[in-house]
Amino acid sequence: VHGKEYVHFCCTSEDINNLSYALIMHDANKNVVVPTHQKLLQLIGNAANKYSELPMLARTHGQTASPTTVGKEFANFGYRLNKQHQFLANHRFPAKCNGAVGNYNAHYFAYPEYNWRQLSQNFIEGLGLEFNPYTTQIEPHDGLINYYNFLQLYNTILIGFCRDMWTYISLGYFKQRTVKSEVGSSTMPHKVNPIDFENCEGNLGMANSIIDHFRNKLPISRMQRDLSDSTVLRNNGSILGYSIIAYDSLAKGLGKVDPNQEVLSRELDSHYEILGEAIQTLLRKYGADSPYERLKELTRGKSISRDDINAFIESIDPKLIPAHELENLRNLRPSNYIGNAGEMAKITLGSK
């Protein structure tokens, strides 16, 4: 028996290629993507905890809404990202080693006495990969697409986070630390632009656009195979490259912003109309007549002062609600109307 003849024995090129790609993706995920995600989650989790009790005016439809806390808004994104992180961290990439059309034809013809399926499974699982028993000439890429579905959702969540941070910065809710060597504008010297969040958003968009093509193309191969997947697969590195650049930009951006407590306090104190929700809810609890309609007439589309709210509270019939509830209303402020946001913001993220 000539040993050299057992090189590439019974193999089609795809037996080698799919194993190589699966191992590349396994190592990239384990050594680069997952650790980078863990660092990001730690940054977001630290901010969630640090600012868990810092009240902030929320906005729904872009309009003022019931208050939240800065930390709770970080926790909202952190919780969502962490779920996708768990899927990615535990993902196993599938592979095959079963010959020209997936049936071990040459294997069984040459050595019928061996259990080739079991040998193939042992070999693939020994590499830390998932054995796919049903393939044509190619491993059908469903497992790779599942991985990218999770990564794309992770990236999309981060795009939303970047856009929210960009908006909070534009509202003055966050201050940007200046970097002396940076230029914000070639003509407007005062500019400090949120470029790290913008760069993150742009690069994640590039990564996700390539993933879209992967999802549409790779699960389809004509009959037992065509070569159209080969050139597409060469862009795995582009997806991961754009993503990692984006994550690094986001980490950089988060390291250069701080909540602007003066602006946050001023915003809350300027919008006492948001307490209409609390007041009408309490009045409904005690059976008051048309409480929602009364608060709607007082507050809808208006900026209401503390004096306006206090006057309304004092107009409530003291026989209608208990004295302690009236006192709670008198002590109510936008800054302390935050529900359980502070508690919810205390979150641990990033563990596998």
Side-chain angles (χ1 to χ4, degrees):
V1 176
H2 301 287
K4 67 178 183 179
E5 296 303 328
Y6 283 94
V7 176
H8 209 76
F9 185 73
C10 294
C11 288
T12 181
S13 59
E14 188 58 21
D15 285 325
I16 312 305
N17 291 342
N18 93 100
L19 288 167
S20 300
Y21 274 119
L23 288 170
I24 288 170
M25 290 301 297
H26 173 274
D27 289 351
N29 187 52
K30 178 181 177 182
N31 299 324
V32 181
V33 175
V34 169
T36 305
H37 283 179
Q38 287 176 316
K39 291 176 183 177
L40 266 185
L41 286 166
Q42 187 173 22
L43 285 173
I44 292 171
N46 288 345
N49 282 273
K50 183 176 181 180
Y51 305 121
S52 62
E53 303 290 344
L54 181 59
M56 179 180 82
L57 186 69
R59 291 179 181 267
T60 60
H61 307 278
Q63 309 304 305
T64 57
S66 299
T68 181
T69 69
V70 172
K72 173 56 166 39
E73 298 313 300
F74 274 83
N76 286 342
F77 281 102
Y79 179 81
R80 296 171 63 196
L81 291 166
N82 198 52
K83 291 195 75 170
Q84 304 314 310
H85 169 71
Q86 302 304 322
F87 289 126
L88 292 164
N90 294 305
H91 186 80
R92 292 180 66 204
F93 292 91
K96 71 103 183 183
C97 190
N98 52 13
V101 293
N103 303 326
Y104 307 97
N105 302 48
H107 307 66
Y108 278 108
F109 187 77
Y111 290 102
E113 65 272 24
Y114 290 108
N115 183 342
W116 286 102
R117 172 171 167 160
Q118 189 62 56
L119 288 171
S120 178
Q121 181 173 354
N122 293 345
F123 171 61
I124 288 170
E125 292 179 349
L127 295 173
L129 305 174
E130 181 182 281
F131 172 65
N132 186 349
Y134 286 91
T135 79
T136 58
Q137 185 176 109
I138 66 167
E139 202 287 322
H141 310 304
D142 297 352
L144 179 64
I145 298 307
N146 282 335
Y147 173 81
Y148 279 134
N149 283 338
F150 294 128
L151 186 68
Q152 187 177 54
L153 180 51
Y154 186 98
N155 287 351
T156 301
I157 293 168
L158 275 186
I159 289 173
F161 179 69
C162 286
R163 290 178 180 176
D164 278 5
M165 289 300 298
W166 188 98
T167 304
Y168 292 142
I169 290 167
S170 73
L171 290 170
Y173 288 8
F174 283 83
K175 298 180 289 186
Q176 299 179 93
R177 298 186 212 127
T178 57
V179 177
K180 190 172 183 179
S181 61
E182 287 184 355
V183 175
S185 166
S186 61
T187 186
M188 295 177 283
H190 72 283
K191 294 292 290 295
V192 184
N193 296 328
I195 56 174
D196 298 306
F197 298 100
E198 294 169 339
N199 286 336
C200 179
E201 180 182 344
N203 280 296
L204 290 178
M206 288 298 300
N208 282 0
S209 68
I210 302 173
I211 291 174
D212 279 337
H213 184 61
F214 268 51
R215 290 188 321 161
N216 292 329
K217 166 67 203 98
L218 290 181
I220 301 170
S221 185
R222 294 172 180 87
M223 292 177 282
Q224 283 67 55
R225 104 144 297 179
D226 67 62
L227 199 64
S228 58
D229 65 328
S230 180
T231 188
V232 174
L233 284 168
R234 296 188 185 112
N235 290 279
N236 280 298
S238 296
I239 295 173
L240 299 184
Y242 280 121
S243 297
I244 295 300
I245 291 171
Y247 305 149
D248 288 346
S249 293
L250 179 55
K252 184 179 177 182
L254 288 173
K256 290 158 56 177
V257 295
D258 299 291
N260 189 330
Q261 298 194 34
E262 180 182 348
V263 171
L264 292 171
S265 295
R266 185 171 65 241
E267 277 277 274
L268 289 164
D269 290 339
S270 299
H271 293 284
Y272 265 75
E273 67 273 9
I274 58 92
L275 296 181
E277 177 192 48
I279 298 169
Q280 67 94 9
T281 301
L282 193 66
L283 291 176
R284 291 174 72 179
K285 174 182 175 181
Y286 288 101
D289 183 45
S290 304
Y292 180 89
E293 289 73 15
R294 291 169 62 190
L295 269 299
K296 177 181 175 183
E297 183 179 351
L298 175 68
T299 63
R300 190 166 193 246
K302 304 172 186 177
S303 291
I304 302 299
S305 70
R306 179 177 175 181
D307 290 340
D308 295 325
I309 287 294
N310 286 344
F312 183 89
I313 292 170
E314 295 307 322
S315 74
I316 298 171
D317 185 352
K319 297 176 183 177
L320 180 65
I321 54 179
H324 75 277
E325 296 278 36
L326 269 176
E327 193 61 27
N328 287 340
L329 285 178
R330 293 187 181 105
N331 292 327
L332 187 62
R333 306 284 184 272
S335 59
N336 61 24
Y337 182 54
I338 59 171
N340 72 340
E343 175 188 346
M344 292 290 289
K346 296 177 173 66
I347 190 170
T348 301
L349 303 171
S351 59
K352 289 188 182 181

